Amino acid sequence: MSSEGAQQGETGGGTAEGRTVRVVLVDDHRMFRTGVQAEIGETGRTGVEVVGEAADVDQAITVITATRPEVVLLDVHLPGGGGVEVLRRSAAMMADPERPVRFLALSVSDAAEDVIGVIRGGARGYVTKTITGTDLVNAIFRVADGDAVFSPRLAGFVLDAFASTDAPPVDEDLDRLTQREREVLRLIARGYAYKEIAKQLFISVKTVESHVSAVLRKLQLSNRHELTRWATARRLV
């Protein structure tokens, strides 16, 4: 994490005297989680208490359910379906009027589909991993208070995407797929073999096969050739 600040919060911490915000870190890279913990986890200094960590979707749901944090720092790309799947399975906790769990996406990706996907899924903001520790603490407190927070270079893009009159309509078929299934779909459509996909996504060949079967079932397609035509028609390749 380096110099990029959260919109309207590029200087100073977001802590209120005597206040602590409970946070769960969800990222599949242990070293990154360790780095974030070192940057923001000194509660006496930052006001942030890291109460749990998770490396994939299932772990995330288990930890979030058990700890009920105020804010979850959520990576977009995770084993088991991605950040969008975590959001989908956390819908009831996000909607809890007494103890809402709020999500702040923290990702290396600034791809349009990633940003729009997690915001549509219910995340309160999206910052990239270039953000400083101080600005991340500020963003956490703002999200805990119900504000929306975006890295500066993403904020304008998000507003344009949602305000544009010629924005593409929601693709209900594509929305049925998890983030990981979309990743597998694109690689299949680009002609990658199962072994190549497994290597690129750090998953087993068997898991790739399971994702392909799920994609075919959800899209009501019969084989990878139909899948490729489907993806090409939607300019996903």
Side-chain angles (χ1 to χ4, degrees):
M1 292 186 293
S2 59
S3 60
E4 184 174 344
Q7 185 187 24
Q8 298 180 359
E10 297 187 19
T11 60
T15 63
E17 186 176 355
R19 180 185 176 193
T20 299
V21 174
R22 301 170 71 253
V23 171
V24 164
L25 306 178
V26 181
D27 193 289
D28 60 342
H29 293 95
R30 182 179 58 81
M31 291 185 66
F32 180 76
R33 297 198 309 272
T34 300
V36 173
Q37 170 83 342
E39 287 273 358
I40 71 173
E42 188 180 329
T43 307
R45 174 177 59 86
T46 66
V48 173
E49 179 185 3
V50 178
V51 297
E53 299 182 12
D56 60 35
V57 170
D58 288 340
Q59 287 181 15
I61 297 304
T62 298
V63 172
I64 294 167
T65 302
T67 60
R68 293 304 292 263
E70 292 161 84
V71 176
V72 177
L73 292 181
L74 181 67
D75 192 13
V76 174
H77 300 289
L78 294 167
V84 171
E85 180 66 7
V86 175
L87 291 163
R88 185 186 70 79
R89 292 167 60 178
S90 301
M93 290 184 283
M94 286 191 284
D96 186 336
E98 299 296 328
R99 297 175 59 196
V101 176
R102 296 187 169 103
F103 287 80
L104 173 61
L106 176 62
S107 178
V108 69
S109 171
D110 60 1
E113 64 184 58
D114 289 337
V115 178
I116 300 304
V118 294
I119 299 304
R120 183 188 293 164
R124 296 295 305 174
Y126 196 115
V127 294
T128 60
K129 290 181 177 179
T130 55
I131 192 170
T132 67
T134 298
D135 289 331
L136 181 56
V137 168
N138 183 66
I140 288 168
F141 271 80
R142 290 182 58 202
V143 167
D145 288 336
D147 290 345
V149 181
F150 299 93
S151 291
R153 63 196 181 96
L154 299 183
F157 157 72
V158 172
L159 291 172
D160 290 345
F162 279 97
S164 176
T165 56
D166 60 355
V170 174
D171 190 325
E172 294 183 359
D173 289 332
L174 189 60
D175 275 358
R176 292 191 185 100
L177 305 183
T178 67
Q179 184 66 40
R180 180 64 86 188
E181 287 168 354
R182 296 184 193 191
E183 293 171 349
V184 171
L185 164 65
R186 287 186 180 85
L187 293 174
I188 285 288
R190 290 170 183 168
Y192 284 73
Y194 286 3
K195 287 184 179 180
E196 294 172 320
I197 296 173
K199 183 177 181 181
Q200 183 157 335
L201 298 181
F202 301 100
I203 57 180
S204 69
V205 173
K206 185 175 182 180
T207 300
V208 174
E209 293 172 348
S210 297
H211 285 315
V212 172
S213 295
V215 170
L216 292 174
R217 183 181 70 254
K218 290 179 180 180
L219 300 181
Q220 299 182 336
L221 301 173
S222 300
N223 53 55
R224 64 181 297 165
H225 300 295
E226 290 184 2
L227 186 152
T228 299
R229 288 197 296 271
W230 187 94
T232 301
R234 284 162 173 77
R235 300 180 180 178
L236 299 176
V237 180

